[in-house]
């Protein structure tokens, strides 16, 4: 048996990936998660088909035996958030760089199958041209962006030096059900949804004209699976954008949510956030060509589905 591993599998994106893997015929999935931001309840629907391992990727000796003989490793465990990496650089460095190195080393030393790594669109920083293509020089603006970029470089180097198959996917502002809105570091859409349902004003950092390629979580999960199956000769060691290809400002997004709910709430505005990227939009041509990326959800579909979930689960 060559287990399928998802690190960070109790998180909001990881648990969507676990469900997608099980739905596509994988019998069991091993989840490695330290439950720092992940939650067991995210796996409630699939608990009988998940082997849950409470372990931290910073601890090589704890994770190496779990990754041994893995068929595929989806490495999503991380401490996310640009502002968190600025206020707490040490834990995010240790998880995002040292932890990623540990996962790659464990996979490589045990001759595991392919590692699909959750990289980040933040690696681009501010670019003069949109959409952002993989051939552009990275320009990280925050510790988080740099840490995720180092993980990509490590993945490519493990492919070149040790023959480990790796694919890095630069996730673009993923949103959807189960994204936790309870922290100041939470993704903006989870916070917007929370405020919308409570009929309270969200805070927008800056003028709200910054834009993001908001990508629905199920599209990202589907792409992770495709990346794990694409021909190694084409994709191994490479980096691909995992976005939707669109771009919406925060002001537009809040207005769209208010329109869906039929309410009018003026947001509050605060100082721009340190390390914030101004505009983000993925060129998805390479992912479409090499991985068969085919996003299924428009932004509005995703917003409606996510809102329905928060309404039912708040
Ligand atoms: C960044 C990455 C993303 C990565 C994520 C992990 C970019 C372009 N994107 O997301 O790929 O997955 O880190 O955490 O670098 N905002 C508000 N009010 C709030 C919260 C946020 O206005 O209450 C603003 C932020 O200032 C930012 C935007 O909303 O301009 C999005 O913020 P957030 O959801 O935290 O994600 P990014 O930092 O863009």
């Amino acid at each position: 048996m060559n287990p399928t591993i998802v690190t960070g599998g109790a998180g909001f994106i990881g648990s969507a990936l676990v469900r997608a893997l099980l739905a596509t015929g994988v019998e069991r999935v091993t989840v490695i998660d330290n439950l720092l931001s992940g939650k067991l309840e995210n796996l409630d629907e699939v608990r009988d088909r998940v082997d849950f391992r409470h372990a931290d990727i910073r601890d090589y000796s704890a994770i190496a035996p779990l990754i041994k003989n893995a068929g595929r490793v989806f490495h999503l465990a991380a401490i996310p958030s640009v502002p968190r990496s600025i206020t707490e650089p040490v834990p995010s460095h240790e998880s995002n760089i040292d932890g990623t190195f540990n996962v790659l080393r464990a996979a490589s030393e045990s001759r595991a199958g392919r590692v699909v790594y959750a990289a980040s669109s933040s690696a681009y920083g501010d670019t003069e041209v949109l959409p952002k293509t993989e051939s552009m020089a990275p320009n990280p603006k925050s510790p988080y962006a740099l840490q995720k970029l180092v993980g990509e470089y490590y993945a490519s180097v493990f492919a070149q030096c040790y023959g480990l198959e790796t694919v890095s996917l630069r996730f673009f502002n993923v949103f959807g059900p189960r994204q936790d809105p309870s922290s100041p570091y939470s993704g903006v859409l989870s916070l917007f949804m929370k405020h919308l349902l409570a009929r309270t004003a969200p805070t927008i950092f800056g003028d709200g004209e910054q834009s993001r390629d908001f990508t629905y979580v199920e599209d990202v999960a589907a792409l992770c699976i495709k990346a794990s199956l694409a021909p190694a000769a084409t994709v191994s060691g490479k980096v691909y954008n995992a976005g939707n290809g669109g771009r919406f400002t925060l002001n537009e997004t809040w207005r769209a949510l208010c329109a869906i709910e039929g309410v009018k709430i003026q947001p509050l505005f605060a100082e721009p956030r340190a390390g914030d990227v101004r505009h983000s939009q993925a060129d998805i041509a390479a992912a479409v060509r090499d991985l068969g990326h085919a996003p299924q959800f428009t932004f509005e579909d995703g917003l409606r589905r996510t809102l329905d979930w928060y309404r039912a689960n708040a």
Side-chain angles (χ1 to χ4, degrees), residues 6 8-12 14-15 31-33 35 37-40 42-43 52:
V6 180
F12 123 79
S15 65
V31 165
I32 298 176
D33 203 300
L35 299 181
S37 53
K39 292 183 195 152
L40 276 179
N42 285 340
L43 295 167
F52 179 76

Side-chain angles (χ1 to χ4, degrees), residues 58-117:
R58 288 172 295 187
D59 183 351
Y60 179 77
S61 59
I63 63 162
L66 305 176
I67 290 176
K68 203 169 176 190
N69 300 324
R72 287 180 284 175
V73 180
F74 296 89
H75 174 39
L76 277 65
I79 296 186
S81 170
V82 166
R84 185 170 186 168
S85 77
I86 294 173
T87 51
E88 301 170 30
V90 175
S92 75
H93 176 100
E94 289 174 353
S95 290
N96 299 345
I97 295 185
D98 301 339
T100 295
F101 175 78
N102 287 339
V103 170
L104 291 167
R105 176 185 163 204
S108 172
E109 289 187 355
S110 70
R111 301 252 157 252
R114 185 173 302 176
V115 176
V116 175
Y117 165 63

